[in-house]
Amino acid sequence: MTQIIDGKRTAEKIKQQIAREVQEMVEHGGKRPHLAAILVGKDGASQTYVGHKEKACGQVGFESTILKLEENITEEYLLEQIARINRDKDIDGLIVQLPLPRHINEIKVIEAIDPAKDVDGFHPVSVGKMMLGLPGFLPATPFGIMSLLEEYEIDTRGKHCVILGRSNIVGRPMANLLSQKSDRADCTVTVCHSRTLHVEDYTRRADIIIAAIGIPEYLKGDMVKEGAVVIDVGITRVPDSTKTGGYRLVGDVEYATVAPKCSYITPVPGGVGPMTIVSLLRNTLSAAKKEYSK
Ligand code: GUN
C-alpha cells in the first residue's frame, strides 16, 4: 500500500505551532519576528515565491518587508541595501530571492548577509555549520524534507538513499544531512547528476530517492524498486490551457507509474513545496530567538 506524504497538512500543523509561539512572545512583551526579502527584477516565478513567503509570514503573525529592486540596479547598490538591513535591529531574517540578474555576483551577495540573519541557510557560515552537524540555519527545502521524513517516522538508518541532483540548494545539502550520524539520518548516500551514466542502475537499488533535477516526470516506474520512498522536489510549470493560471505544476517524478510501487511518496503540488516555506518561517523564528548567534 502506498502512503501519500501530505506536506500541506504537515506544514499547516507546524504553522499553527509557530503562530502559537509568536502569540506567546508578543503576550510576554516581545516583538514579532520580522523577515525581510529582497527581490531584484520581474521574474514571474520569483515574484510568486516571494508573495507566498509574505503571505505565510502574515499567517503566523510575523512582520515582513519586501524590498523590490529594478533589474538594472548595480551590485554595489544591492550590497548597500543588505548592509543596511544587517544593521536594522528590528529585522531578524533576510533572504535575497534567487536567481539574480547575470551582472550581479550571487556568491558575493550571499556572503554579504549577516550569518545571524541568514534564514535561507546559504551563507558559507551556515553551510559550514550544517556540514559539521552543528546547530544552525538549514536551507529551507532540505529542512522541509528532513521534517517530513521525521513526521512520517520513515526509517532512514542504514538505508541506501539516491539523490538526483547536486544543487547547492537541495541535492548537496540533502546528501550531507542524510549521511550524518543521527537516528534521523545514517543513510548511505549516492548523488547522481547530469553527468552520471546509467542513473537507473542506482535508482533501482535505492530505498529512498530524492528527485531534485528539475526535469518534469524524469523518474519513471521502471527506475524504482518495490517499496521505495520517493520524495519529489521538482516543481516545473508546464503550459496547460485547461488551468486557470495557464499552467500546471509537474514534479520530477512520473507519479502515475512510480506511486504504485512506493511505500511512501510526496505528491506535487502539496508535498515538499509547502514544507519549504514553513521551514523558512521556522528559521526566522530561530533567528528572532537568537538560537544560533548567542
Ligand atoms: N530561489 C529558489 N529557491 C530559493 C530559496 O529557497 N531561497 C531564495 N532566496 N531563492 C530561491
Side-chain angles (χ1 to χ4, degrees):
M1 247 273 288
T2 306
Q3 193 170 346
I4 295 167
I5 298 180
D6 190 340
K8 199 166 167 207
R9 206 205 58 199
T10 308
E12 278 310 317
K13 199 169 93 178
I14 297 171
K15 262 195 218 167
Q16 283 170 16
Q17 286 163 2
I18 297 173
R20 274 198 297 273
E21 200 168 328
V22 171
Q23 202 181 343
E24 269 175 34
M25 285 163 76
V26 172
E27 279 168 11
H28 287 86
K31 76 168 203 62
R32 292 182 183 278
H34 187 168
L35 173 70
I38 300 180
L39 176 63
V40 184
K42 298 248 178 311
D43 178 73
S46 291
Q47 284 179 329
T48 306
Y49 293 147
V50 169
H52 288 162
K53 290 170 188 179
E54 186 179 24
K55 186 173 159 211
C57 281
Q59 287 170 340
V60 296
F62 287 3
E63 303 254 12
S64 64
T65 301
I66 314 288
L67 180 58
K68 291 183 178 164
L69 303 175
E70 295 295 329
E71 179 92 20
N72 62 1
I73 53 148
T74 63
E75 182 180 284
E76 189 187 3
Y77 182 73
L78 177 56
L79 294 174
E80 280 167 19
Q81 297 309 307
I82 293 171
R84 181 177 60 74
I85 295 173
N86 283 344
R87 287 192 301 271
D88 188 334
K89 292 206 160 48
D90 191 64
I91 294 175
D92 303 293
L94 166 61
I95 62 168
V96 178
Q97 188 65 29
L98 304 177
L100 287 168
R102 282 235 285 276
H103 67 280
I104 297 177
N105 182 332
E106 221 161 79
I107 297 290
K108 229 168 150 178
V109 167
I110 290 169
E111 283 185 328
I113 296 171
D114 178 349
K117 298 190 179 187
D118 176 39
V119 289
D120 255 336
F122 293 167
H123 191 284
V125 167
S126 304
V127 178
K129 285 182 176 176
M130 175 186 65
M131 179 80 197
L132 295 169
L134 299 173
F137 299 114
L138 295 180
T141 302
F143 189 10
I145 295 170
M146 294 305 286
S147 307
L148 280 180
L149 295 174
E150 187 169 347
E151 173 73 16
Y152 281 81
E153 297 180 354
I154 291 169
D155 188 12
T156 55
R157 283 170 305 172
K159 297 291 164 73
H160 180 208
C161 177
V162 170
I163 296 170
L164 303 177
R166 56 177 159 185
S167 72
N168 287 334
I169 297 185
V170 184
R172 279 144 57 95
M174 273 320 296
N176 191 275
L177 292 168
L178 283 171
S179 60
Q180 283 182 9
K181 192 176 172 74
S182 148
D183 285 351
R184 305 253 41 106
D186 276 342
C187 284
T188 302
V189 175
T190 302
V191 179
C192 296
H193 47 74
S194 53
R195 295 280 180 270
T196 301
L197 301 176
H198 310 299
V199 172
E200 64 282 3
D201 288 351
Y202 300 95
T203 55
R204 280 188 194 131
R205 288 192 288 130
D207 302 305
I208 301 170
I209 301 175
I210 314 279
I213 35 170
I215 302 174
E217 300 184 328
Y218 172 85
L219 189 77
K220 316 274 191 229
D222 63 0
M223 298 167 73
V224 176
K225 82 172 177 188
E226 212 53 61
V229 175
V230 172
I231 307 291
D232 189 350
V233 185
I235 32 162
T236 306
R237 292 176 177 200
V238 172
D240 186 340
S241 56
T242 68
K243 301 283 171 191
T244 34
Y247 68 87
R248 67 193 158 93
L249 295 176
V250 178
D252 289 354
V253 175
E254 190 179 67
Y255 193 86
T257 58
V258 173
K261 297 181 86 174
C262 294
S263 54
Y264 292 89
I265 188 166
T266 61
V268 175
V272 174
M275 292 301 293
T276 295
I277 292 199
V278 109
S279 301
L280 176 68
L281 298 176
R282 274 180 150 176
N283 279 344
T284 305
L285 183 61
S286 295
K289 289 157 72 179
K290 309 251 181 295
E291 278 178 8
Y292 309 132
S293 52
K294 275 174 189 153

